[in-house]
Amino acid sequence: MSTQPRPVYVIGAGPGGLAVAAALRARGIRVVVVEKSESVGASWRRHYDRLHLHTTRRLSSLPGLAMPRRFGRWVARENVVRYLEKYAEFHELEIATGIEVTHIEPSSTTDSPDSSESSESSGAPGWTVHATGGRVMAARAVVVATGFNHTPVIPDWPGRDTYPGPLVHAAEYRNPAPYAGQDVLVVGVGNTGAEIAVDLAEGGAARVRLAVRTAPHILRRSTAGWPAQRTGILVRRLPVRLVDRLGAIVGKVSVPDLSAYGLPRPTAGLYSRVKQGSIPIQDVGLIDAVRTGRVEPVAAVESFDGAEVVLADGSRITPDAVIAATGYRRALEGLVGDLAVLDDRGRPRTHGAHTPPEAPGLYFTGFTNPISGMFRELALDAAKIAKAIARTSRDGA
């Protein structure tokens, strides 16, 4: 008879999944991380070369291991990958790579494959995890950490298929070399679109235009040594209207008015937009690029007409290439879509230590985009999730 309790399964070996696994292991709970790619930090390996964390190194470490000082204040993409590799090794995490979890469903020890388990989990609710290769795994709890940026989305613009040039999602962009000497349209003015536009302008593209549907809030990444992230931490619990007013004042003082260049100040408040899912742009060169004409804001894309792109203001342009920085889907429907745990936008209704009442023992991490910093919130969530699972295990013992 087996005396080992079912492990906790964590789906996804990105920073959120690794942080939860380390926090659980520190509490003596066996945890298995399942990752569909062949290595940890897969999404960070695929990001564009120029990318750095927009949060400081000191505020971006995961539980139990600080990021090395040699990585600098703003950690480069390749160093984030090195850190995640070291993190998994340092905490001796049990990681199964090359396995994709396809579905999760509730179970109990009486109908699970490991029905002869110890009394610690006997009769307690549990989960059955289905994965590629016909694998079926019994779990005491499941933590979904498949990532905020999971499945790239390109809008189904009318006439999109008639465009003869390259039209790719920003997820496929690595560096400006393939676009040297070309006229490039970047669609979407989030942090990714803004940074890719600057990268292209600095990397040899002949012309760079940035299609903007809604004017963004722009923040200096750091002012007089004070990072914008620390301000985000301080204000995130304040009333939305108050933060909106403060944000407007700070914006006028620290960021020049770019209206004359086609990038007006936004009308909606900064924190109101954050609550709707729109994070301010951390300036890493966009302001200067717009003011010097190296990046030209234009109206939003409405449709394609052969080689021409039709913009919302009725104008037409003929770029050599289009890069769509148009966001991602969480893509959780196949995994948990039948459990009534997702909202109408496909996002988990709960996150962190909160488990859905209809699905006890199912946790989500990394599906919000907080102004206080993604890595910081992943670290906080990891500790809370581990504490909740440990408490549930004691209560069910």
Side-chain angles (χ1 to χ4, degrees), residues 38-51:
E38 297 301 327
S39 55
V40 304
S43 63
W44 278 91
R45 295 175 190 274
R46 295 191 298 265
H47 284 316
Y48 49 94
D49 297 345
R50 177 193 177 103
L51 181 64

Side-chain angles (χ1 to χ4, degrees), residues 240-315:
V240 172
R241 289 184 180 180
L242 175 59
V243 180
D244 282 349
R245 289 197 295 269
L246 293 173
I249 294 170
V250 172
K252 288 180 179 179
V253 171
S254 62
V255 176
D257 186 357
L258 301 175
S259 299
Y261 304 94
L263 202 60
R265 294 192 188 278
T267 55
L270 185 151
Y271 206 23
S272 294
R273 292 282 302 280
V274 168
K275 291 295 186 180
Q276 297 167 3
S278 179
I279 297 298
I281 292 176
Q282 299 273 345
D283 178 49
V284 289
L286 181 66
I287 294 173
D288 288 342
V290 168
R291 295 176 77 179
T292 58
R294 291 175 296 151
V295 172
E296 307 168 45
V298 296
V301 171
E302 286 295 307
S303 62
F304 287 77
D305 184 7
E308 292 186 321
V309 180
V310 183
L311 303 179
D313 60 3
S315 62

